[in-house]
Amino acid sequence: MRIRANGNFEFCRWATNEIGKIHNIKDTSIKDYFQKHISKVRKDLLDGKSLKECDTCYVMEKHGKISGRQKQLLKVGILEGKFKESFNSSTFLDKFKQSNDHNGDTDCLPVDWQIDLGNYCNSACVMCDPRSSSKLAGEWFKLGFIDTPYNNFSWAQDPTLLDKFIKELVGMKNLQYLHFLGGETLITPGFSKMLEELINHKLNENVIIGLTTNLTVWPERTIELLKSFKYVHLGVSIESLDNINDYVRWPSKIEDVRNKLNEFVKLGRECDWTVSIRVTPNLLTITRLKELYQYAYDNFVGIESCNFLHKPEFLRIDLLPDDLRQNAVRSINEFTNKNNNKGWGSDMPIINIRKKENKRQTVLEDAKSVVSYLEKQPPYDQSAYVDLIKFLKKLENNRKNKILDYLPEYEEFFRSIGY
């Protein structure tokens, strides 16, 4: 399950939009939402239907990128390559049958969560959304991109709702995984409160905590709370190891970001955490990914993205002209050719990307999926170029920077579309 920053429940953290009536923590309990209100989702899946809400996962799988759908299947013991056998041996088989016989209803409760704590953030990334960044929201409001500044955009800032959610959460049996997002999670007040309550209920002994940080902060108290948990999955957000990261993840500075990256990787080793680089390949960074892949490979950390970026449309990588596409393909292929290892190209991709012994192979597989997308995805509607140039020029006028100072190899492309 997922709870959005505005308090809305969703049946999956990767779903592109919600089905049917919207349910919010203000008026719906977790139990009612999960057991009754999404019965249609379960029934449709049991009937073999492909859901529109799952499109981003299907696109990822088409190009060999491990999707959230595949990772969730693995958690109930199902492998697509051996679907019939693994389905029939799944420890959840009796629950599947129960839902099938009762029109999608269940007596289960969610064991895996994405918890969006709000948009409190100190960064304003160009591919982000105002509902995920207060800094970006303030800038976009000033520039006239949006009509609301999205102040206090968080259900977790309401003490009553936060207490209600925590009470329901800690009362669930078999709770396994909680992934927190902001904003910048490490400086969001609701995050430390949530950690404290989980520790008070001794859930730090068996519940996995997942979170993502933008590599610009190091709050000692929150990090000490995280050290109390036996299992932590830490995502570190960065787009490139060179200064294009400064432009895209403004106003960060790459020297500081690289230092924080190394510090968090070191901390992960010391605490036996699982560390993954969270990257959002986009039109502005796709040609600079090689060094980031190599860093992940050399340091045995994962590298993953939620999907192939589709919004904002003007930053999609399938908008690249052919020459820059080929430059990106050559660059990433240089990495994979250099580091190719046994098992590369297997018909059974590694789904469990968290295991340390799988790290290098999953980095290679992710790189291969990006190449597949660049080579096979048809060019996107070039009318989006107009929005791209308008967007960059407005941002640059406010931020006092210029994209061609970071990407001189894009000059011919950008000049040709009106920059």
Side-chain angles (χ1 to χ4, degrees):
M1 265 187 67
R2 178 180 191 175
I3 182 168
R4 288 275 191 178
N6 60 2
N8 287 347
F9 290 136
E10 292 188 351
F11 70 88
C12 177
R13 75 178 59 143
W14 296 281
T16 52
N17 58 285
E18 186 54 282
I19 286 178
K21 180 182 176 182
I22 294 173
H23 296 274
N24 191 283
I25 189 174
K26 294 178 182 178
D27 50 37
T28 306
S29 71
I30 294 170
K31 180 178 179 180
D32 283 349
Y33 178 81
F34 190 79
Q35 293 184 350
K36 299 177 183 178
H37 294 305
I38 58 171
S39 295
K40 185 180 185 303
V41 174
R42 279 188 290 270
K43 193 65 172 69
D44 284 348
L45 291 171
L46 286 163
D47 289 343
K49 296 179 181 178
S50 295
L51 304 183
K52 177 70 175 174
E53 288 73 16
C54 301
D55 280 355
T56 55
C57 281
Y58 297 144
V59 171
M60 293 173 74
E61 293 162 22
K62 176 182 176 182
H63 295 286
K65 185 183 283 289
I66 302 305
S67 73
R69 190 184 76 89
Q70 291 171 314
K71 288 185 280 189
Q72 293 302 318
L73 282 175
L74 184 66
K75 291 178 182 179
V76 293
I78 293 177
L79 295 171
E80 286 185 294
K82 297 181 179 179
F83 181 82
K84 185 175 180 179
E85 305 94 315
S86 58
F87 180 86
N88 286 321
S89 64
S90 172
T91 56
F92 278 74
L93 183 61
D94 61 329
K95 297 301 181 183
F96 298 149
K97 288 181 177 178
Q98 179 194 54
S99 287
N100 193 57
D101 294 341
H102 294 85
N103 203 35
D105 288 351
T106 184
D107 60 6
C108 292
L109 286 170
V111 298
D112 184 307
W113 278 88
Q114 176 164 309
I115 301 170
D116 296 3
L117 292 171
N119 70 339
Y120 184 60
C121 190
N122 62 342
S123 292
C125 304
V126 298
M127 64 287 183
C128 195
D129 183 280
R131 290 165 292 187
S132 298
S133 167
S134 55
K135 189 174 184 68
L136 188 71
E139 182 182 37
W140 279 25
F141 182 70
K142 172 186 172 183
L143 296 176
F145 290 152
I146 54 176
D147 296 327
T148 174
Y150 288 100
N151 293 330
N152 301 317
F153 187 67
S154 170
W155 64 272
Q157 290 190 11
D158 183 327
T160 303
L161 292 180
L162 186 61
D163 288 343
K164 175 188 176 184
F165 182 78
I166 291 172
K167 184 177 180 180
E168 289 193 70
L169 198 66
V170 299
M172 295 178 189
K173 294 181 179 180
N174 304 316
L175 197 62
Q176 296 176 11
Y177 185 74
L178 304 175
H179 188 83
F180 294 90
L181 286 181
E184 168 48 47
T185 315
L186 285 175
I187 59 175
T188 299
F191 181 56
S192 55
K193 171 72 181 299
M194 194 83 72
L195 294 181
E196 289 169 352
E197 291 296 329
L198 293 170
I199 292 169
N200 290 340
H201 288 84
K202 300 191 184 319
L203 293 177
N204 55 315
E205 298 171 3
N206 48 36
V207 172
I208 301 170
I209 296 297
L211 71 144
T212 302
T213 179
N214 63 17
L215 294 175
T216 65
V217 296
W218 188 275
E220 292 286 353
R221 180 175 173 275
T222 305
I223 289 172
E224 287 303 312
L225 288 172
L226 284 168
K227 289 180 181 179
S228 300
F229 287 80
K230 187 175 181 180
Y231 307 104
V232 174
H233 290 174
L234 176 66
V236 289
S237 291
I238 181 173
E239 308 307 325
S240 172
L241 288 173
D242 65 29
N243 67 355
I244 186 59
N245 196 78
D246 294 351
Y247 185 92
V248 172
R249 302 191 68 87
W250 186 84
S252 66
K253 298 299 179 186
I254 190 59
E255 294 82 3
D256 182 53
V257 168
R258 281 195 297 248
N259 289 337
K260 291 286 195 309
L261 174 62
N262 292 331
E263 289 175 17
F264 275 115
V265 169
K266 180 182 176 183
L267 178 65
R269 292 196 189 106
E270 293 171 350
C271 298
D272 198 25
W273 293 352
T274 298
V275 180
S276 296
I277 290 172
R278 304 306 297 261
V279 62
T280 308
N282 60 74
L283 179 141
L284 302 178
T285 60
I286 190 66
T287 59
R288 305 287 184 89
L289 274 183
K290 181 175 75 171
E291 289 75 17
L292 199 55
Y293 277 125
Q294 191 65 56
Y295 179 94
Y297 187 90
D298 291 342
N299 288 277
F300 287 92
V301 299
I303 189 165
E304 56 184 301
S305 52
C306 292
N307 51 49
F308 290 109
L309 182 102
H310 58 283
K311 288 185 178 180
E313 295 177 339
F314 52 75
L315 288 176
R316 295 171 59 117
I317 60 176
D318 41 328
L319 265 175
L320 276 177
D322 187 62
D323 60 332
L324 290 176
R325 273 206 202 203
Q326 294 310 311
N327 286 347
V329 167
R330 280 193 294 271
S331 176
I332 297 171
N333 279 340
E334 286 174 6
F335 159 75
T336 55
N337 292 337
K338 175 183 175 182
N339 300 286
N340 230 350
N341 66 349
K342 188 177 180 180
W344 173 249
S346 168
D347 291 335
M348 291 289 289
I350 294 172
I351 308 298
N352 189 353
I353 63 175
R354 305 294 186 193
K355 292 180 69 174
K356 184 176 180 180
E357 57 266 36
N358 293 342
K359 291 294 186 182
R360 284 185 160 177
Q361 185 65 21
T362 56
V363 172
L364 289 166
E365 288 184 355
D366 190 86
K368 182 183 178 183
S369 74
V370 173
V371 168
S372 172
Y373 189 93
L374 286 168
E375 290 183 332
K376 299 176 183 178
Q377 190 72 9
Y380 192 68
D381 183 359
Q382 293 186 1
S383 65
Y385 288 154
V386 175
D387 292 331
L388 171 65
I389 298 306
K390 286 181 179 178
F391 178 74
L392 293 184
K393 284 188 172 181
K394 274 201 169 186
L395 281 190
E396 291 179 354
N397 186 57
N398 185 60
R399 298 178 180 185
K400 310 305 179 187
N401 57 12
K402 291 187 178 296
I403 185 61
L404 294 181
D405 291 339
Y406 302 85
L407 288 175
E409 66 270 32
Y410 277 47
E411 180 162 10
E412 182 178 350
F413 166 48
F414 277 129
R415 297 302 185 198
S416 71
I417 60 174
Y419 180 80

